[in-house]
Amino acid sequence: MYVSSWIRAYMSRSMKNEEFLIRVANVVEQQLKEWDENYEVYVLKLKDYEFNVKNGDCYYDVMISEEELDSLQKQAPFSLDIKLWKDLEQKGVEIIKGDSSYLDSIL
């Protein structure tokens, strides 16, 4: 999977926070589905944002406050992706490195 750096930079500067989170969630879900079509990604807004990944009976959650989302979006085009992938990996999602130019460039 390929994600253009300059397009992502433009999106991170021009999109509202929630729109950007949903866009990143779609990219994460595409990558996960390349490994296993049973993966599903959900984004919920409660007090904070809940980023949920489901694969069969396994669930992985990452919480993101509005302030953290805003900070990550302003920091760098792929900062949110990096945070999500690292948190998912710590929670047990198996990341297949060397399989994706997208992941290889950010992790």
Side-chain angles (χ1 to χ4, degrees), residues 55-67:
N55 188 7
D57 293 335
C58 297
Y59 292 87
Y60 310 93
D61 300 327
V62 177
M63 301 299 287
I64 305 168
S65 70
E66 288 188 39
E67 295 79 21

Side-chain angles (χ1 to χ4, degrees), residues 12-103:
S12 71
R13 288 189 307 268
S14 64
M15 295 178 96
K16 293 180 181 178
N17 293 357
E18 189 169 321
E19 290 175 313
F20 185 68
L21 174 59
I22 291 168
R23 175 65 185 142
V24 171
N26 287 332
V27 172
V28 170
E29 183 174 47
Q30 285 178 327
Q31 180 60 62
L32 290 166
K33 284 184 175 288
E34 283 185 20
W35 297 330
D36 185 337
E37 65 184 37
N38 294 312
Y39 273 109
E40 298 176 56
V41 173
Y42 304 96
V43 176
L44 303 171
K45 173 67 169 105
L46 303 170
K47 180 178 182 266
D48 294 322
Y49 289 99
E50 247 184 69
F51 183 88
N52 300 301
V53 173
K54 177 183 182 264
N55 188 7
D57 293 335
C58 297
Y59 292 87
Y60 310 93
D61 300 327
V62 177
M63 301 299 287
I64 305 168
S65 70
E66 288 188 39
E67 295 79 21
E68 183 179 21
L69 174 58
D70 187 56
S71 173
L72 290 167
Q73 186 173 347
K74 289 176 180 172
Q75 187 176 24
F78 290 97
S79 293
L80 178 58
D81 302 65
I82 293 166
K83 185 232 183 326
L84 292 172
W85 283 110
K86 286 185 177 183
D87 285 3
L88 290 171
E89 186 173 38
Q90 287 177 355
K91 293 178 186 254
V93 173
E94 182 182 349
I95 295 176
I96 303 169
K97 296 183 179 166
D99 185 44
S100 164
S101 60
Y102 158 65
L103 284 178

